[in-house]
Structures are given as structure tokens and as C-alpha cells.
Amino acid sequence: MSEKNRDGSNKSARERLQQQREREKAREKQRRVLIVTAGVVGVLGLAAVVGVIAANSGKDGDSAKAGPVVAPTGSIEGDKPAIPTGRADAPSTLQIWEDFRCPACAQFENVMRDSIHELEATGALKAEYHLATLIDGNMGGSGSLRAANAAACAQDAGKFTPYHDTLYTNQPQETDDAFGNNAKLIELAAKVPGLDTPSFRSCVEEGTHDGWVEKSNEAFQAGGFRGTPSVLLNGESIFPTKDGEQISPENLKKWVAEANKGKKPGTASPSAG
């Protein structure tokens, strides 16, 4: 082989190596957007969930256009806005920070939902849902914000819980910003009896609670959470584990029973949500 041919072959090999490195770098950058946060063993046999890194979530371009802060009916205010469910005087509180576009949040909800509702119904537990717009910031789009606003509109109608659950059971792929379309959110409202009303549609289309959702997302950012979902029981993180035990429906019930030992269950009327 001539010197010229060898030089050409070497150059071609170097170019292929460089291209390969660039592809690997791109894959690694994409990989860093997602982290495996837990192994969750539950009734659905879920082996693992993926949590979304919070590092880039400050890039949400809609925050500057969110407008005034209009809190949904019956919401918790202060520096950590939330929508409460369950009995207000329940002895234990579950704080859930989540994003309606987050696939790990959907997996958490689909595994844990029935147990949370059961504990709420018995007065053992109340929940506080803190809404974040993490994926809008990480991946672009507005589905996190639009869905959270729609959920807050459902809270105004006293139907937060069924609509919240409907959004998660009908969650699109993470890269599909379907929730960014208000028409899709109104379409899903038809699955909740009595929710699809002119007032709900107006609330969704006008982004009535956008400012409140952004305030909630700012609290998420200030809270130092690693990602969504972030779940705390009486202020202690239980996701993905608590004291070396993985979260599961059975363990959640056990942890709540331990926390409530010697305490009376709540008897107040359930929150409107």
C-alpha cells in the first residue's frame, strides 16, 4: 500500500472513530436526562421506575407568561402550594411532588394509587399534591404546565382525584407533548362524570391557574429534590426507599400504621379533591 493510501485509510479511520465518539457523547447526554431512581415492587410487578433529573427544569419558557397567581379552590397556599386530598385531620401526611408528563410518576401512581386511596378512605392518611413542570423544562413543550392547570381546574370542580388519575392512566409517551393541547385535556375530562362543563373548559383554555402552577414549580426547584416523583411521609422521604426497604403498597401501609400508632384516624369530611 502506498504512503498516500495509508494516509487516506488512517484519516478515514480517525473520522469514523470521531463520529463514533460524537454519537456516544450524544447518547450519554440523552442518558443523563433520565436516572433510575428505584426498584418498586408492587401488585403490578413493576421492577423499576425512572425518575427525571431536576437539573435542567428551570428552562421552562412559559414561566414568564404565566400571569397572576390564581389558586384553585381549597388548595394549600404558602411557600409550598399543593392540592389536598383525604381527610384534613388524618394523622399522617403524604407529600407527592410530580409532573403529569413524567413516566416515573405514572408508574408510581399506577402501582400505589389504590393503596393511597384506601388509606385516605380510612382516615389514616391525607395527601398533598405538589405540581411541577420539570419535563417542559428538560424536553421542551408545555404539557406539564397545561395538564397541571387542567388538574387545578378540576380541583375547582371538586373532581381533582378522578381527573388526576385519568391523566396518569392516559399519559402519552414522554417525548409526545400531547398534554400541551388543551383540546386533549378537555377530551380526557369527558371520562370524569360531570367535569366537562363550560366553566372547566374556560379554565383550561384561559390557563386560569398557570401562575399558581408556576409558583408550585418554583417551590419544587427551591426544595432541592432530585427529580419526580419525590414522595415524603410526614416529612421523611420514602421514595424509592425508607430505612432500606423499597416502597410498595404493602410497605406504605406498614409505614403509615407505624406512624399512626396510638393516634385516632381522621373523621373530617374528605377534601373536595
Side-chain angles (χ1 to χ4, degrees), residues 31-78:
R31 186 191 69 80
R32 285 198 302 269
V33 175
L34 301 175
I35 56 172
V36 176
T37 62
V40 178
V41 181
V43 292
L44 301 183
L46 183 63
V49 297
V50 179
V52 185
I53 293 177
N56 298 323
S57 55
K59 297 180 180 178
D60 189 346
D62 291 319
S63 59
K65 300 179 287 184
V69 175
V70 179
T73 303
S75 63
I76 297 171
E77 293 312 302

Side-chain angles (χ1 to χ4, degrees), residues 87-92 123 126 264-269:
R87 301 179 188 275
D89 58 346
S92 283
K126 61 180 178 289
K264 296 181 179 180
T267 57
S269 298

Side-chain angles (χ1 to χ4, degrees), residues 15-30:
E15 289 175 346
R16 288 196 298 271
L17 181 60
Q18 180 64 26
Q19 290 171 354
Q20 181 180 351
R21 287 174 177 171
E22 290 297 325
R23 287 194 296 269
E24 290 175 351
K25 184 183 295 184
R27 284 195 295 267
E28 174 63 17
K29 182 177 181 180
Q30 184 178 23

Side-chain angles (χ1 to χ4, degrees), residues 86-111:
R87 301 179 188 275
D89 58 346
S92 283
T93 302
L94 191 70
Q95 291 183 317
I96 305 172
W97 299 78
E98 58 186 15
D99 181 327
F100 285 108
R101 284 181 72 186
C102 164
C105 297
Q107 292 180 24
F108 167 80
E109 287 290 344
N110 292 336
V111 170

Side-chain angles (χ1 to χ4, degrees), residues 137-214:
N138 280 344
M139 305 193 72
S142 62
S144 301
L145 175 62
R146 300 265 49 79
N149 171 69
C153 294
Q155 168 69 7
D156 288 340
K159 297 182 181 294
F160 171 80
T161 295
Y163 188 64
H164 164 275
D165 295 350
T166 296
L167 289 177
Y168 277 118
T169 55
N170 291 272
Q171 186 189 70
Q173 293 293 316
E174 184 182 15
T175 53
D176 179 1
D177 193 31
F179 283 172
N181 184 347
N182 286 332
K184 177 65 175 178
L185 298 169
I186 291 172
E187 174 189 324
L188 290 174
K191 295 179 179 290
V192 179
L195 178 57
D196 187 6
T197 62
S199 59
F200 174 79
R201 289 185 173 221
S202 176
C203 182
V204 171
E205 291 169 348
E206 294 176 8
T208 298
H209 299 300
D210 283 1
W212 184 85
V213 173
E214 289 299 342

